[in-house]
Amino acid sequence: LAKTTQPISMDSYEGQEVNITCSHNNIATNDYITWYQQFPSQGPRFIIQGYKTKVTNEVASLFIPADRKSSTLSLPRVSLSDTAVYYCLVADTGFQKLVFGTGTRLLVSP
Amino acid sequence: DTAVSQTPKYLVTQMGNDKSIKCEQNLGHDTMYWYKQDSKKFLKIMFSYNNKELIINETVPNRFSPKSPDKAHLNLHINSLELGDSAVYFCASSASRDRAYNSPLHFGNGTRLTVT
């Protein structure tokens, strides 16, 4: 399993764009990059997934450079409700033995 | 409608007891999982079932026994509970076990187990 490294915590203010970068130097050819969000007392919730270049949905954007050794989750104009832990994972096309690290704790202040 | 539901939400018990956690998903998914989140917030897979068949069994004490009566249910039974079993246990499901892409995990809201 490819390991990921992300900042332990980040602070932001309402209305700002937040970019959380994840390093995955040992990503394999078949691995996809997936991001989850977890609120206190809830299970992780899928946000976005990609393989290369850029992916955008109604919640976030995911930027993946050509070498795929890192990825950046971009949250546009965050609000207080975006305060959560964000996990970056890589997974291949096999069994989903996902390992969630400590994630990045994002705190959005007024 | 709750997609993945677990019961109970909280479970407080004494060492040596046996307890069960139930999980049900109404998403029509084929694969279900049990994850454990420890005090340091690491979330690790314990078991996975695909259509009632055990496909992943990580290094978990055999005091933990999953049971899947049908593909919509995956229960976790724990015997002889120990202090170190205190954690939050999450049930999850996914549409497919064979590919990670377009088959994200859907998690329940967890069961906080406290062993005293």
Side-chain angles (χ1 to χ4, degrees), chain A residues 32 36 38 41-46 49-51 87 91-102 105, chain B residues 9 33 35 37 40-43 45 56 58 90 94 96-105 107-109:
Chain A
Y32 291 88
Y36 284 79
Q38 185 177 23
S41 301
Q42 294 187 23
R45 181 175 71 100
F46 171 81
Q49 185 177 58
Y51 185 80
Y87 296 96
D92 61 18
T93 54
F95 295 146
Q96 295 192 28
K97 294 175 67 173
L98 298 178
V99 177
F100 291 70
T102 54
R105 188 173 298 276
Chain B
K9 186 173 177 63
Y33 312 77
Y35 276 79
Q37 188 167 43
K40 296 183 178 180
K41 301 300 183 184
F42 284 104
L43 191 60
I45 190 169
I56 295 176
E58 291 297 277
F90 287 97
S94 67
S96 170
R97 67 165 182 165
D98 293 324
R99 53 189 175 84
Y101 188 65
N102 273 343
S103 189
L105 296 174
F107 285 85
N109 284 330

Side-chain angles (χ1 to χ4, degrees), chain A residues 3-8 21-25 35 71 88 104:
Chain A
K3 293 184 178 179
T4 61
T5 304
Q6 27 179 150
I8 294 175
T21 298
C22 177
S23 297
H24 26 79
N25 291 321
W35 286 81
S71 59
C88 165
T104 297

Side-chain angles (χ1 to χ4, degrees), chain A:
Chain A
L1 294 173
K3 293 184 178 179
T4 61
T5 304
Q6 27 179 150
I8 294 175
S9 63
M10 294 182 68
D11 294 324
S12 183
Y13 293 96
E14 283 188 291
Q16 290 188 336
E17 177 185 78
V18 171
N19 296 310
I20 306 174
T21 298
C22 177
S23 297
H24 26 79
N25 291 321
N26 297 321
I27 190 169
T29 303
N30 292 334
D31 284 342
Y32 291 88
I33 300 157
T34 309
W35 286 81
Y36 284 79
Q37 174 192 55
Q38 185 177 23
F39 297 114
S41 301
Q42 294 187 23
R45 181 175 71 100
F46 171 81
I47 301 176
I48 197 166
Q49 185 177 58
Y51 185 80
K52 61 181 179 180
T53 62
K54 176 184 175 182
V55 179
T56 297
N57 61 23
E58 64 277 5
V59 177
S61 294
L62 179 60
F63 298 92
I64 306 169
D67 65 5
R68 302 197 332 120
K69 293 184 182 299
S70 67
S71 59
T72 298
L73 174 72
S74 181
L75 304 173
R77 297 182 298 281
V78 294
S79 63
L80 297 178
S81 62
D82 291 318
T83 293
V85 178
Y86 293 82
Y87 296 96
C88 165
L89 301 98
V90 293
D92 61 18
T93 54
F95 295 146
Q96 295 192 28
K97 294 175 67 173
L98 298 178
V99 177
F100 291 70
T102 54
T104 297
R105 188 173 298 276
L106 173 66
L107 176 62
V108 180
S109 301

Side-chain angles (χ1 to χ4, degrees), chain B residues 14-102:
Chain B
Q14 293 182 328
M15 287 176 56
N17 285 347
D18 303 338
K19 292 293 180 184
S20 293
I21 306 173
K22 296 184 176 181
C23 179
E24 175 182 2
Q25 56 96 2
N26 62 6
L27 297 168
H29 287 168
D30 289 334
T31 309
M32 296 186 71
Y33 312 77
W34 277 110
Y35 276 79
K36 178 181 179 181
Q37 188 167 43
D38 61 25
S39 58
K40 296 183 178 180
K41 301 300 183 184
F42 284 104
L43 191 60
K44 296 182 179 179
I45 190 169
M46 300 173 67
F47 302 103
S48 177
Y49 270 73
N50 184 71
N51 278 327
K52 301 191 298 178
E53 176 190 356
L54 181 65
I55 56 172
I56 295 176
N57 185 350
E58 291 297 277
T59 307
V60 177
N62 57 16
R63 299 181 294 104
F64 290 79
S65 54
K67 286 185 173 54
S68 182
D70 55 63
K71 75 172 190 177
H73 295 84
L74 180 61
N75 304 322
L76 183 65
H77 188 76
I78 315 170
N79 290 326
S80 303
L81 278 156
E82 301 177 356
L83 293 177
D85 297 331
S86 295
V88 181
Y89 293 85
F90 287 97
C91 176
S93 71
S94 67
S96 170
R97 67 165 182 165
D98 293 324
R99 53 189 175 84
Y101 188 65
N102 273 343

